């Protein structure tokens, strides 16, 4: 149970005169982080510096366990925290979330980090290929020949939207949508079944293709930093409406080619007169030629 008037931390030996402990627990968008108080205030005039040096613990939001709560992207906050530790940014080789991380850096008022993540503009006012590779979902590939740079720029910017020059070569592919469900059937077979909502919709397929279709609605926290050409079966959607996923696939030119489902039945107790609980796993295979 959260304590309303105390700071949720491991040690109460922080800086002299500070109401905060040396070790602080944070809940950022559902992800729990443990860090030092001096790390959070490493950049003067930043949002975290103002929160944990200018405000009292009572003024900050808490979760149900007393941890300080920030309603931001919990996955991307790991890079914000890494930057605060030594003021140095190190990203994975394949990192398609650069523009979103820039938005987080801007929110936390980390001006130097925002500048590092900003697209570099050359003398002819064109976005450099390096930034285009980081910001697009699939990564822009350089083309050979003296006109490669111009061809790449035309492919990246189509109708004002960022696109990958290799998008045309990736039009075809498969995406599998899966979900687990459960429902209860009463002793009277005429009784309506009591359905439970779909808990999670999983997405299987090539990483670049999944990101192209579902964009920001794709939760990658279970399989971060996967290269675009690799396959994954660990992604899932941030919503639980199958129709919404089907509509999105249809809009992107996919059509269903196969479906399979398995189910098992179990009793809630040893009494055969009790209601039966059925659990099922269903997969839908979509294809774009």
């Amino acid at each position: 149970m959260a304590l309303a008037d105390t700071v949720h931390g491991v040690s109460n030996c922080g800086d002299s005169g500070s109401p905060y402990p040396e070790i602080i627990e944070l809940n950022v968008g559902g992800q729990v982080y443990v860090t030092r108080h001096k790390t959070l205030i490493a950049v003067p005039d930043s949002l975290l510096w103002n929160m944990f040096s200018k405000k009292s613990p009572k003024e900050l939001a808490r979760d149900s366990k007393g941890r300080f709560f920030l309603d931001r992207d919990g996955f991307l906050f790991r890079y914000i925290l890494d930057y605060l530790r030594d003021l140095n940014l190190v990203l994975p080789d394949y990192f398609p979330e650069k523009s979103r991380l820039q938005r987080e850096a801007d929110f936390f008022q980390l001006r130097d980090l925002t500048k590092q993540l900003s697209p570099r503009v050359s003398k002819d006012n064109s976005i450099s290929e390096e930034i285009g590779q980081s910001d697009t979902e699939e990564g822009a590939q350089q083309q050979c020949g003296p006109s490669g740079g111009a061809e790449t720029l035309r492919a990246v910017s189509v109708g004002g939207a960022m696109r990958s020059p290799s998008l045309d070569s990736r039009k075809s592919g498969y995406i599998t949508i899966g979900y687990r469900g459960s429902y209860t059937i009463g002793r009277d077979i005429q009784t309506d079944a009591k359905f439970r909502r779909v808990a999670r919709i999983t997405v299987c397929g090539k990483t670049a293709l999944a990101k192209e279709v579902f964009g920001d609605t794709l939760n990658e926290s279970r399989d971060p930093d996967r290269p675009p050409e690799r396959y994954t079966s660990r992604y899932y959607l941030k919503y639980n409406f199958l129709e919404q996923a089907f509509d999105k696939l249809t809009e992107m030119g996919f059509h269903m080619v196969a479906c399979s489902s398995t189910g098992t039945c179990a009793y809630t107790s040893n009494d055969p007169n009790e209601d039966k609980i059925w659990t099922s796993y269903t997969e839908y295979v979509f294809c774009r030629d």
Side-chain angles (χ1 to χ4, degrees):
M1 182 175 181
L3 299 179
D5 298 326
T6 59
V7 177
H8 195 80
V10 177
S11 170
N12 204 16
C13 302
D15 297 334
S16 178
S18 173
Y20 295 95
E22 180 184 3
I23 307 299
I24 292 180
E25 293 185 32
L26 302 172
N27 178 347
V28 184
Q31 299 289 328
V32 177
Y33 290 90
V34 181
T35 186
R36 293 183 178 275
H37 176 253
K38 66 178 183 180
T39 300
L40 297 175
I41 60 174
V43 178
D45 296 324
S46 66
L47 178 67
L48 292 172
W49 182 84
N50 279 287
M51 289 176 60
F52 291 95
S53 64
K54 295 296 184 180
K55 295 184 178 181
S56 67
K58 295 181 180 180
E59 297 178 81
L60 303 181
R62 310 279 192 91
D63 65 7
S64 60
K65 295 186 178 180
R67 294 177 290 230
F68 294 108
F69 178 74
L70 293 167
D71 190 17
R72 301 301 298 179
D73 191 312
F75 168 71
L76 293 178
F77 187 75
R78 61 191 259 191
Y79 300 106
I80 298 293
L81 200 56
D82 282 344
Y83 174 78
L84 292 174
R85 290 185 177 116
D86 54 14
L87 301 183
N88 185 35
L89 177 65
V90 179
L91 296 176
D93 292 336
Y94 298 93
F95 190 74
E97 308 290 346
K98 202 167 187 179
S99 60
R100 294 177 60 186
L101 181 57
Q102 181 186 357
R103 181 183 63 186
E104 295 300 301
D106 186 62
F107 173 82
F108 286 105
Q109 300 171 18
L110 299 172
R111 297 178 180 83
D112 289 341
L113 179 57
T114 301
K115 291 179 181 178
Q116 293 183 42
L117 293 168
S118 298
R120 299 176 182 177
V121 180
S122 61
K123 293 181 180 179
D124 58 354
N125 293 326
S126 62
I127 299 177
S128 67
E129 293 179 3
E130 177 184 359
I131 299 302
Q133 290 177 356
S134 299
D135 285 346
T136 57
E137 292 294 303
E138 298 175 359
Q141 296 179 350
Q142 295 182 354
Q143 299 187 19
C144 299
S147 62
E151 292 297 328
T152 300
L153 182 59
R154 281 196 294 271
V156 169
S157 180
V158 178
M162 298 298 292
R163 288 179 54 119
S164 168
S166 59
L167 183 60
D168 291 339
S169 64
R170 294 175 180 168
K171 283 184 178 179
S172 61
Y174 291 86
I175 289 180
T176 301
I177 300 295
Y179 77 94
R180 297 186 184 278
S182 63
Y183 55 92
T184 302
I185 298 181
R187 288 168 293 179
D188 183 357
I189 60 174
Q190 301 300 323
T191 304
D192 291 338
K194 302 175 182 178
F195 288 91
R196 298 182 183 178
R197 69 181 181 87
V198 177
R200 178 172 292 177
I201 301 175
T202 60
V203 177
C204 309
K206 186 175 289 187
T207 298
L209 200 59
K211 291 181 178 180
E212 177 196 341
V213 174
F214 295 108
D216 291 341
T217 64
L218 193 71
N219 195 317
E220 307 171 51
S221 61
R222 297 174 63 208
D223 196 7
D225 309 330
R226 178 162 287 270
E229 292 299 330
R230 296 289 296 276
Y231 289 85
T232 180
S233 61
R234 296 175 58 82
Y235 287 169
Y236 62 93
L237 300 179
K238 296 179 181 179
Y239 51 83
N240 53 15
F241 298 101
L242 283 171
E243 294 79 5
Q244 187 174 349
F246 293 168
D247 286 343
K248 190 63 178 177
L249 285 160
T250 301
E251 291 173 5
M252 301 301 290
F254 284 80
H255 60 276
M256 188 186 303
V257 295
C259 173
S260 65
S261 181
T262 59
T264 58
C265 176
Y267 292 99
T268 57
S269 70
N270 294 327
D271 186 354
N273 294 321
E274 291 293 330
D275 293 348
K276 296 178 181 179
I277 296 180
W278 287 82
T279 59
S280 65
Y281 177 72
T282 305
E283 286 187 341
Y284 301 91
V285 181
F286 287 82
C287 175
R288 185 169 65 183
D289 299 327

